[in-house]
Amino acid sequence: MAKDDTLHIEPALRPLLAPGERLLTAAMLIKDVGTTEDVSISDELKNLLDPTILLGLGTHPGNLLQQAAFGRAVIGPADSPAGRLHAAVEATFAPTLAVTDDRLLVANLGSVDRVGGSWTDRWFGPVEYVATLTHESPRDAIVGAIMAPAGVLRRGRFLVVFTDGSVCALIGGPPKAGRRAAEAIGPPRPAAGTPGEEQA
């Protein structure tokens, strides 16, 4: 895999960009398996001790273990900007994050055979990427991003912080892609108009 996939992905993402919009970086994403809602320890224990679970009628516990192992993928309600971003990544087959100077885009990246060429090119040869937009967040709704690696399998994990206080965890396919995306979004800054913002 190339050190920077942006050069390979950029032609597919270009049709999704507005006139004059600049693509800063692109990163293939891995879906974060952390929990998306609060876990109640008492509810988890009640479910675990419920005898109907042995008959397959009770509620299966597991969110507590999931949160203990993988943490939170989203902080905030499902209809928050972070919740919508996470839902878009979850619903996208091959999620790719595009960071532009104006927006944060989630696109489904697929490939098609390049038109023309010999039969060997069609079988083994180059393909073209095709991107379909599945979600967008305006940059003015984003406070910033910070790296938050967690374990060997999530070294490229970073958190996108929104102005409403919601947070979404994303994982770059190669860890360096996650780091580039977080750097392109920039570190969290106070929202305009908040006390002390002019000194930040």
Side-chain angles (χ1 to χ4, degrees):
M1 183 172 284
K3 289 182 180 177
D4 188 350
D5 291 323
T6 305
L7 295 174
H8 304 291
I9 300 172
E10 192 270 340
L13 297 174
R14 198 177 302 136
L16 305 179
L17 305 181
E21 188 174 16
R22 252 181 344 111
L23 178 66
L24 303 178
T25 192
M28 294 182 183
L29 297 177
I30 298 171
K31 298 172 185 180
D32 194 308
V33 294
T35 58
T36 58
E37 46 193 46
D38 291 330
V39 176
S40 167
I41 295 174
S42 63
D43 288 346
E44 290 283 321
L45 289 175
K46 286 176 192 173
N47 292 337
L48 187 62
L49 299 173
D50 184 358
T52 59
I53 196 171
L54 299 173
L55 302 173
L57 302 174
T59 305
H60 189 332
N63 286 344
L64 184 62
L65 182 60
Q66 182 183 1
Q67 182 168 317
F70 301 108
R72 294 288 301 266
V74 175
I75 297 172
D79 61 346
S80 67
R84 291 193 298 268
L85 174 60
H86 181 266
V89 171
E90 282 291 307
T92 304
F93 180 72
T96 300
L97 182 74
V99 182
T100 75
D101 54 354
D102 222 19
R103 298 177 292 168
L104 205 65
L105 308 173
V106 176
N108 187 39
L109 195 66
S111 59
V112 294
D113 291 333
R114 190 171 290 170
V115 179
S118 66
W119 65 271
T120 56
D121 286 343
R122 287 194 297 272
W123 279 13
F124 308 108
V127 295
E128 293 179 351
Y129 289 121
V130 177
T132 308
L133 182 65
T134 59
H135 180 77
E136 61 181 306
S137 297
R139 287 296 292 265
D140 58 4
I142 298 169
V143 174
I146 56 171
M147 290 303 297
V152 176
L153 300 177
R154 299 189 299 160
R155 289 183 297 131
R157 184 174 183 255
F158 61 100
L159 306 177
V160 180
V161 183
F162 290 87
T163 54
D164 70 337
S166 61
V167 179
C168 180
L170 300 173
I171 304 175
K176 288 183 180 178
R179 184 169 300 284
R180 282 194 310 272
E183 288 171 356
I185 294 169
R189 295 180 52 81
T194 56
E197 179 267 335
E198 62 277 356
Q199 283 88 23

